[in-house]
Structure formats: C-alpha cells, structure tokens
Amino acid sequence: MHYSILRKSLTSQFIQIQLEISCQEMETICLQLPSWRPGRYELANYAQKIRAFEVRANGSEIAWKKTDKDLWEFTTTESGQYFINYEFYCNQMDAGGCWSDDQQLYLNFSNFIFEILPRKNEEISISIELPSDYKVATALKKTGIHKWESASFQHLMDSPLLASAELKHFSYSVNGSTFHIWIQGEIHFQIENLIAVFYFISKKQIEDFGEFPAEDYHFIFQLLPYTHYHGVEHAYSTVITFGPAHALSEKSELDELIGVSSHELYHFWNVCRIRPKGILPYDLSKEVFLEEGLVMEGVTTYMGDYYLLKSGYLKLEEYLLILQKQIQREFDSFGWQNQSIVESSFDLWLDGYKGGIPEKKVSIYNRGALLSLCMDLMLRKSGSSLAKVMKDMWEKFGKTQIGYGLGDFEKLVVSHTKEKESMTDFFRDFVWGKNDLLPFLKSLLTTINIELLENFENNDLLHFFGIRKEESGIITQIHPNADAYNI
C-alpha cells in the first residue's frame, strides 16, 4: 500500500492524504484510525481532525460507512486499485502531534494513518510533496527523493518525520551506532558541548544494557519561541519540543533539555522494547489498561536523571537538587493515601495527564522515580542495582519480545537482593499498597549519608494551619488533617 501526502494550502494547516491499496473483488476493507498513540495512555480521538473522506476506484466514488468513531468500512465492487482520500488538520505542536505551516511539515503518522487488520504486516511506502530545499529528519528508510518505506503499520506509526529548509543536523557515534541530532529552531547554546554530553550519556546507558541494537538513532528537536516541554519515545527516534529556545542559554534550562533527552533515550530499551504484555503489540483502537506504570515511566524517570550524574554532566549537589524537587512534589500531595501507584497506572486513561480531583492519585513519573530510588538503594546493599535488574529485563523480556507483567518485574527485583523478605514487603507496602513512603525514604537515604530535613519556616499559614495558597491569595490546598478541612 502507498500513502501520498501533499499540502494545497499552507495557511489552512490541512494536509491532503491519499492511500492506494490493491483489493480483490467483494473484499471488505476496514480502516481503523488510532484512538491514541504510544507514550500517551489517554484517548486522543484523532478522527475528529479528519475531513473530506472518500473512496474511489476507476474514477468513480465507492460507497463507505463508519461503524465506529474511528473505523471506516467499504466493500469493493471489483478487483483493482482503490484510493482513499482524506484531509487531516495539522495544528498540534507537541512531541506527539502534527504541524504544518510555511516553515515546516511535522508528522506523527500515528495521528492519521490507518491500520488495515488483515494487512497490518504489509509494507507501506510513502511519498510527500515537499519544496526542493527541505531537509528531512526521520528514522524511515529513504527510497527516493521525498520517498520512504516502512515494514508495517506498527513501524510507520512509530516513525515521526520533520521536514524543513531550516533543519540543522549534527551527529556522533558510540560503538558503531550513529546518533543524529536534528534541530528546528534557534540554537542558544554551544552545540559542541551538547554533543559531548549526549555522547557520554549514550555511552553509559549502552554500557549498562550491554548493547544498542540499532545502526542509527534520531533526536528530533523542536525548539520553540514560547514555553513548552514535551518528549515522546519511538523505536529508533525521539521527538522533543522545548521552549522558549532563548532560555537554553541558561544552564538550568539546558539541564531540563538534556534531562528529557536522557529519559527518552532510556525508553529505547524500556517501553520501546521492554514492554508490558498489554501493549505487545500496540492496539491503538481502544484503551489498554496497564499496571506497569512504575516500570514504564517511574524507572525511566529515575534512571534518566541518574545518567546525568553517572555520565559526569551533573555534580552530586546538582543531582540532589533534582531529587529534592521530586520529594517536595510527592509529599505536597496526599494522593498516595487514596491510590497506589498500580491503581494510578490503571487510571491513566481517566486522569493521568491532568490535575484531576484533589488528593486522588499519584504520579507514575514522580512517585515512580522515588520508588525506583528506594529499590536501587536496597539492591545496592546486596551488591546489585536497578541498572542490573533492567539489563535482566532487557535480556528476558526485551530481546525476546515476550512482554512482562508487574509481577514479573517484582520477582526479578526480589531475585537480585539478599534481603528478599524486605523487598517483598516493600512492594506490598509501597507499590501495591498505599503506605507513607517518606519515613522509609528518609531511613534509606541515611545509609548513603544523605539526610532529608523538613523545613517549616517562612510559611506559617501552611505549617500551622495546613492551608496552601498562591501569591494572589487563592487557596489551592487544605491539609486533610487541618481544622479548616472539616469546616
């Protein structure tokens, strides 16, 4: 099958798409558009951005119908080539969306290509009408001028593409693999320094996993003029949107960009290949409820930050400031009293990416990172580490592509420690359960000579009355044990 993409109007932000497929007589074709995309476990309902849908063959329109919100069907009248034409609105500038304007064309194919179930493993070719001076960043195999191919639907929807005349390209190599850095937007930092940092982070991650099974990997950056922060992992690339670009002249902002880059690179192994059974392969037509958020995002958040330290980019004092912020963020909320991280993982589809109701949930990223820190410290007392556990996860579940459950991860962690009962209790109390992590975390940090202190100065309203408010005076939180809570 073949996708042709062009743009009739740059100002409209619509792209025109034609899918050409070869069909047999009286064949029923079911065109399933994704309802969500990998890396974001909530419904996106991309079908709302499609218009002007039609099916044609031999110059004539073919009858079709929708049988679900994002499922189109038609039955062929004779054998031959059939053309599905439609338009998609590219107005979402983040790491998982699509954007079209007079400066660039940025596509996440997961937003608008169809999965045709009997043909999901069929090769797909793509041609895009682009200006002759456009450069293109993508992990897809190039087959000609502005032409590419993918091995299957799963491959194509996991391979974003960015095209622009202003696209800048840099690269470095580690153990024979080439890492490409593509930048759209203004550069306000020393690119040589960034490449050096990326080299050491990549090298340390590869050392701990033992291998990097890819010849090429692509960091695709959208550096924007306004405040933004988002990253999405893919099998052979990542897209990271960050802004404002000029702020990257400050080290604190550059730390953020490098941090999310380390996080997304770690996903190359963890999630893109070490995957829960529920998303191996991805079924993008409906929700897939997962309990493994701790491993998918918690471990990745912790390890992504850890490699900033291990690579030598951050000093210990700088790394501890990241940890301090995570601890503060976690214990400013009481969601842990109402949901375990397993329950919050399952509920990602409900409220995982928004504030939600007060004190209802925990963050699989933030609490997951603190739980991962605890596991790592416990494992190190037995001469192991979380990095060694994840290498075993790679060997057992990633390379074999058999998928894992949260129970599999727990068993592997327990097998790496001499204090098996203590680790089993940890999972019972803090992963499956809703116990207060703070006292346990405090005691673990003392084993590496780090003291966690609570400061009750400079905010009497919060510390004496349990009331948190913004500078404007708006009350944002009341402690559940405060007198004011029960008025």
Side-chain angles (χ1 to χ4, degrees):
M1 67 185 75
H2 178 76
Y3 279 93
S4 302
I5 300 171
L6 57 87
R7 298 184 291 173
K8 294 179 180 178
S9 165
L10 298 181
T11 56
S12 73
Q13 294 194 283
F14 277 97
I15 60 173
Q16 286 69 46
I17 306 159
Q18 183 179 83
L19 167 61
E20 179 183 357
I21 57 175
S22 178
C23 301
Q24 301 299 316
E25 184 179 359
M26 298 305 294
E27 184 178 359
T28 297
I29 303 296
C30 299
L31 302 162
Q32 176 68 62
L33 194 74
S35 291
W36 60 282
R37 61 163 180 77
R40 188 81 171 186
Y41 307 100
E42 66 177 1
L43 291 177
N45 292 320
Y46 296 114
Q48 64 189 302
K49 293 189 174 186
I50 283 183
R51 74 177 190 185
F53 183 93
E54 66 171 10
V55 181
R56 302 187 72 87
N58 296 322
S60 301
E61 286 196 44
I62 304 298
W64 57 270
K65 64 179 179 179
K66 285 188 75 174
T67 58
D68 204 341
K69 59 184 174 61
D70 39 32
L71 180 62
W72 288 256
E73 292 184 7
F74 69 91
T75 300
T76 63
T77 54
E78 58 183 313
S79 298
Q81 298 301 109
Y82 284 73
F83 301 87
I84 297 94
N85 301 307
Y86 57 104
E87 296 183 325
F88 186 81
Y89 192 41
C90 298
N91 72 328
Q92 182 180 332
M93 174 52 79
D94 62 26
C98 294
W99 184 268
S100 175
D101 63 21
D102 60 345
Q103 301 296 314
Q104 64 171 288
L105 177 62
Y106 162 49
L107 302 175
N108 271 285
F109 294 99
S110 58
N111 292 194
F112 64 85
I113 68 165
F114 292 107
E115 182 171 27
I116 305 175
L117 292 179
R119 306 179 181 206
K120 61 184 179 181
N121 294 319
E122 187 174 315
E123 288 187 358
I124 304 172
S125 58
I126 308 102
S127 60
I128 305 177
E129 187 178 291
L130 294 169
S132 59
D133 61 343
Y134 268 35
K135 297 179 282 290
V136 178
T138 183
L140 290 170
K141 180 182 177 181
K142 189 174 182 178
T143 58
I145 298 175
H146 301 159
K147 294 180 180 180
W148 300 267
E149 68 178 12
S150 68
S152 63
F153 166 82
Q154 295 267 329
H155 181 202
L156 180 55
M157 70 86 191
D158 202 23
S159 304
L161 180 148
L162 172 59
S164 167
E166 303 301 320
L167 195 59
K168 293 167 278 291
H169 176 251
F170 310 90
S171 66
Y172 63 95
S173 296
V174 181
N175 298 346
S177 296
T178 301
F179 292 79
H180 303 267
I181 299 175
W182 301 90
I183 298 177
Q184 175 71 14
E186 297 179 357
I187 299 176
H188 291 270
F189 50 86
Q190 293 295 320
I191 188 65
E192 296 82 6
N193 293 342
L194 183 80
I195 292 172
V197 171
F198 274 32
Y199 169 82
F200 285 111
I201 290 173
S202 304
K203 188 172 184 293
K204 292 299 182 182
Q205 291 195 19
I206 292 170
E207 285 176 357
D208 280 354
F209 278 107
E211 61 183 318
F212 189 79
E215 293 183 3
D216 295 273
Y217 183 85
H218 301 260
F219 291 96
I220 303 173
F221 292 98
Q222 292 269 13
L223 301 184
L224 305 168
Y226 50 86
T227 301
H228 199 80
Y229 179 92
H230 191 210
V232 175
E233 69 273 12
H234 297 281
Y236 296 97
S237 62
T238 176
V239 176
I240 295 170
T241 50
F242 192 97
H246 66 80
L248 291 171
S249 61
E250 301 292 330
K251 185 180 183 301
S252 59
E253 294 297 314
L254 193 60
D255 288 351
E256 295 287 338
L257 181 68
I258 293 171
V260 68
S261 300
S262 178
H263 177 108
E264 299 304 335
L265 179 59
Y266 197 82
H267 272 316
F268 173 89
W269 295 273
N270 190 27
V271 175
C272 287
R273 288 164 178 81
I274 306 170
R275 237 191 265 178
K277 294 175 183 176
I279 52 173
L280 189 64
Y282 290 111
D283 180 355
L284 303 181
S285 67
K286 60 184 179 182
E287 301 97 322
V288 182
F289 298 99
L290 301 166
E291 295 181 331
E292 294 82 13
L294 163 64
V295 188
M296 298 166 66
E297 296 297 350
V299 169
T300 302
T301 300
Y302 170 69
M303 296 302 291
D305 292 338
Y306 170 70
Y307 284 106
L308 303 185
L309 176 66
K310 189 173 183 180
S311 67
Y313 174 69
L314 290 185
K315 299 176 182 177
L316 178 60
E317 293 79 6
E318 294 172 314
Y319 173 76
L320 290 177
L321 287 176
I322 294 176
L323 183 58
Q324 177 181 297
K325 291 178 182 178
Q326 290 174 336
I327 293 171
Q328 185 69 54
R329 193 179 299 125
E330 171 65 17
F331 298 106
D332 278 348
S333 170
F334 297 92
W336 56 269
Q337 295 180 343
N338 296 303
Q339 268 197 347
S340 69
I341 193 169
V342 175
E343 293 168 328
S344 291
S345 176
F346 193 88
D347 275 3
L348 280 174
W349 299 92
L350 290 175
D351 59 3
Y353 301 93
K354 57 188 178 183
I357 62 174
E359 324 297 1
K360 182 248 180 181
K361 62 180 179 178
V362 297
S363 166
I364 63 169
Y365 296 83
N366 199 78
R367 186 174 180 86
L370 294 179
L371 290 170
S372 298
L373 168 64
C374 291
M375 283 186 282
D376 201 15
L377 293 177
M378 295 171 73
L379 288 163
R380 286 174 184 273
K381 289 195 294 183
S382 294
S384 187
S385 67
L386 189 55
K388 291 180 179 178
V389 169
M390 292 308 295
K391 183 178 181 181
D392 279 359
M393 288 285 288
W394 164 244
E395 295 288 342
K396 189 170 183 178
F397 300 107
K399 290 173 71 171
T400 58
Q401 288 291 282
I402 63 174
Y404 71 92
L406 185 56
D408 297 317
F409 175 71
E410 179 180 352
K411 289 177 184 176
L412 200 54
V413 173
V414 171
S415 73
H416 271 255
T417 180
K418 297 173 184 176
E419 300 177 0
K420 301 188 185 309
E421 185 176 346
S422 295
M423 188 64 80
T424 301
D425 291 345
F426 171 81
F427 270 83
R428 181 198 64 209
D429 294 340
F430 302 112
V431 177
W432 301 98
K434 300 188 282 282
N435 285 20
D436 185 357
L437 184 63
L438 185 57
F440 186 77
L441 179 59
K442 277 186 177 181
S443 66
L444 272 180
L445 288 174
T446 61
T447 65
I448 55 171
N449 298 317
I450 294 176
E451 187 176 8
L452 185 59
L453 300 175
E454 296 176 68
N455 184 352
F456 296 100
E457 298 175 358
N458 304 323
N459 195 334
D460 290 348
L461 189 64
L462 175 63
H463 298 307
F464 290 106
F465 299 99
I467 298 173
R468 189 188 304 275
K469 69 179 183 66
E470 298 175 345
E471 290 184 5
S472 63
I474 296 175
I475 293 174
T476 58
Q477 186 181 25
I478 300 176
H479 195 290
N481 295 330
D483 289 341
Y485 192 87
N486 297 310
I487 293 177

